[in-house]
Amino acid sequence: MTGRPPRDETEADRPTGPPTPVDRLYAIVEQGLCTGCGICQSVAGPEVVRVHKVANGYERPVVVGDLDHSTVDRIYEVCPGTRIEGLPDRLVEGSTHIDPVWGPWRRIVRAWAADPVVRHEGSTGGVLTALAIYLLESGRVDLVLHARPSTTEPTFGERHMSFTRADVMAGVGARYGPTAPLVDVGEVLEMGLPFAFIGKPCDVAALRNLGRHDPRVDQLVRYMLTPVCGGYMPPAATTAFLGRMGVDPSEVTGLRYRGRGCPGPTRIETADGSTEAHYLDFWGEDESMWMLPWRCKVCPDGIGEAADLAAADTWPGGSPTREESADDPGTNAVVVRTAAGLELLEAAERDGALVVERDATPEEMSDYQPHQVRKKQAVASRYLGMLDEGLIVPVTARLRLDELAAAMPAEEQARQREGTRVRIGQGKATEPRPEAARPEVQGE
């Protein structure tokens, strides 16, 4: 599917004839499905597609060279805006449990980083940070590809390769701003070194998609790890938050979204000092206040079904309270999906990198992450609303979306479908076409 142009174009403005390769690529962006992961640049090459910050504040692909249909076909095959699949069948072994909501799992535990510094500095209980360090120091991988705070855009993240504990610790804390961790994953694969990847569930889905076309992914990416993800904040919403805090966005030199406790303070750095806010001041008191990109609102997999292991927050009801979070050292719920993930968890516990408190259940996960349950149940109906409006509907597989939708009352399915149509009609699924590349972008 190629999609249709944004709704604010007039009939006279709309192109006639078959869509060009540029139209097809930009349809993903214009229909709000781009996650900003950067894999399109890696597939097409930076001389053809370059991901960079565009007028609306997001990181988006901009065509800078000769783009052809075959390249766009490959992008549609790997882009997590157009294809999202669960764990490959070959990784779902006989002893794997399949939960309707939480998908394949070998073991679910409550755990945290054994190193108290890692636990304190990392998001939640520091499990993903501890595992990254363990993978490097045990020699299981030569590098970890993940995100760290951007060195050029303080509210963004950027892709980073870590080779040491210090490298990993430089990237602690969640990244709730635009981040493109796969922007040059082809070059990382070209290095020929075994590595682990830590990224959002959509990033992991993109890397799994790439693995169907590039055998180096299976050969070299030894572990794929992810946080359970509720979405990230649109740049405009981050700017509004800074305004509420009395901070000029142009003066921000650093933004630490969370960590140093669970969730820990949101800390804004400027040349004149720092300002701190509570996690709830940033996101809002409850889910109804979350500001999310359209793609996150129609996400079929915020729980990391394609990963070897996913780590989540453990707040009953899905959100911290101001009183409870002040001195919370942090505990992760860890969903282990594959044999590789299970061996890693057990080895990390045995060798003192993780503390496993106890086993947990899918029912506990649903208590910790009720928003994931609601979204997972609603996605199939939301996709029908997108289809009604002639938009791109992502290809999905092994996510049980129809089964989950069928478990909802028919009237709720209809409400989700119609609500999606209304929001599309209001332009909430629409982004502007990325601007043509500036001259300095092409030479970066």
Side-chain angles (χ1 to χ4, degrees):
M1 285 175 283
T2 59
R4 66 183 187 186
R7 288 177 164 266
D8 58 358
E9 291 184 3
T10 67
E11 290 293 338
D13 292 330
R14 294 179 181 177
T16 59
T20 67
V22 175
D23 293 333
R24 294 178 60 210
L25 177 62
Y26 284 161
I28 300 171
V29 176
E30 291 170 327
Q31 295 180 30
L33 294 176
C34 177
T35 69
C37 72
I39 200 163
C40 52
Q41 176 177 315
S42 192
V43 169
E47 69 284 357
V48 177
V49 172
R50 184 75 60 89
V51 173
H52 72 108
K53 183 178 178 181
V54 296
N56 65 357
Y58 287 102
E59 288 187 313
R60 295 291 183 250
V62 173
V63 178
V64 297
D66 293 329
L67 182 66
D68 56 43
H69 282 294
S70 63
T71 300
V72 180
D73 289 342
R74 291 199 303 275
I75 290 172
Y76 267 68
E77 281 290 308
V78 302
C79 170
T82 53
R83 180 180 290 272
I84 312 99
E85 299 189 4
L87 199 66
D89 287 332
R90 59 185 170 76
L91 298 179
V92 182
E93 300 183 6
S95 59
T96 303
H97 306 275
I98 306 292
D99 182 76
V101 173
W102 291 95
W105 62 277
R106 302 288 299 272
R107 191 179 178 193
I108 303 174
V109 302
R110 287 170 53 94
W112 56 80
D115 184 327
V117 174
V118 174
R119 185 181 186 185
H120 179 70
E121 291 287 329
S123 295
T124 316
V127 161
L128 294 180
T129 303
L131 288 176
I133 293 170
Y134 176 71
L135 286 169
L136 290 169
E137 294 187 342
S138 65
R140 290 165 177 257
V141 299
D142 287 351
L143 67 95
V144 176
L145 178 63
H146 63 118
R148 70 174 182 184
S150 172
T151 54
T152 57
E153 294 281 348
T155 63
F156 286 25
E158 66 183 16
R159 88 98 176 96
H160 182 63
M161 289 188 290
S162 284
F163 297 89
T164 67
R165 171 186 289 260
D167 289 342
V168 173
M169 292 300 291
V172 295
R175 305 311 308 160
Y176 291 137
T179 307
L182 298 172
V183 70
D184 60 355
V185 69
E187 296 177 26
V188 179
L189 291 166
E190 191 65 30
M191 295 168 65
L193 300 175
F195 67 96
F197 176 71
I198 304 176
K200 301 186 301 299
C202 52
D203 303 325
V204 171
L207 192 55
R208 289 285 190 203
N209 288 342
L210 183 64
R212 298 199 319 272
H213 304 277
D214 188 335
R216 297 177 300 175
V217 174
D218 288 344
Q219 294 166 4
L220 298 174
V221 186
R222 302 295 170 82
Y223 303 91
M224 298 189 193
L225 314 179
T226 189
V228 170
C229 177
Y232 71 99
M233 186 170 282
T238 301
T239 297
F241 163 72
L242 294 172
R244 293 195 301 273
M245 297 298 297
V247 177
D248 183 337
S250 67
E251 296 178 354
V252 175
T253 58
L255 180 58
R256 185 186 177 100
Y257 290 91
R258 59 183 291 188
R260 296 178 182 163
C262 180
T266 298
R267 184 179 179 88
I268 309 162
E269 302 282 353
T270 68
D272 296 329
S274 64
T275 302
E276 288 190 352
H278 193 278
Y279 179 87
L280 296 177
D281 295 325
F282 180 73
W283 279 111
E285 296 293 335
D286 58 55
E287 183 184 354
S288 68
M289 301 176 70
W290 294 359
M291 300 293 292
L292 298 172
W294 176 257
R295 169 59 176 78
C296 296
K297 293 180 179 179
V298 296
C299 179
D301 179 29
I303 65 174
E305 292 209 33
D308 294 295
L309 178 154
D313 287 314
T314 54
W315 299 309
S319 182
T321 67
R322 294 180 185 274
E323 295 77 16
E324 292 173 340
S325 62
D327 299 313
D328 184 358
T331 299
N332 284 110
V334 183
V335 182
V336 183
R337 303 194 182 280
T338 67
L342 182 61
E343 192 278 332
L344 173 61
L345 175 82
E346 293 177 346
E349 180 187 20
R350 180 193 66 231
D351 294 342
L354 291 184
V355 173
V356 174
E357 179 187 45
R358 62 173 175 82
D359 283 84
T361 65
E363 291 73 25
E364 286 179 271
M365 293 300 304
S366 294
D367 181 43
Y368 300 146
Q369 302 282 329
H371 51 284
Q372 297 289 356
V373 179
R374 290 189 290 268
K375 187 185 295 185
K376 196 87 167 181
Q377 292 171 335
V379 164
S381 299
R382 293 176 183 179
Y383 280 179
L384 288 174
M386 294 163 65
L387 184 64
D388 291 341
E389 294 299 299
L391 301 188
I392 297 169
V393 177
V395 174
T396 62
R398 300 181 300 283
L399 297 175
R400 306 162 309 286
L401 302 183
D402 290 338
E403 174 188 349
L404 289 165
M408 290 195 306
E411 57 269 24
E412 178 60 18
Q413 295 179 50
R415 190 182 74 84
Q416 292 289 342
R417 183 173 184 170
E418 181 59 23
T420 300
R421 294 186 63 185
V422 169
R423 287 167 175 79
I424 292 169
Q426 294 170 339
K428 294 183 178 180
T430 301
E431 287 188 33
R433 175 168 290 217
E435 296 177 352
R438 301 187 305 272
E440 63 269 25
V441 170
Q442 297 192 48
E444 286 176 353

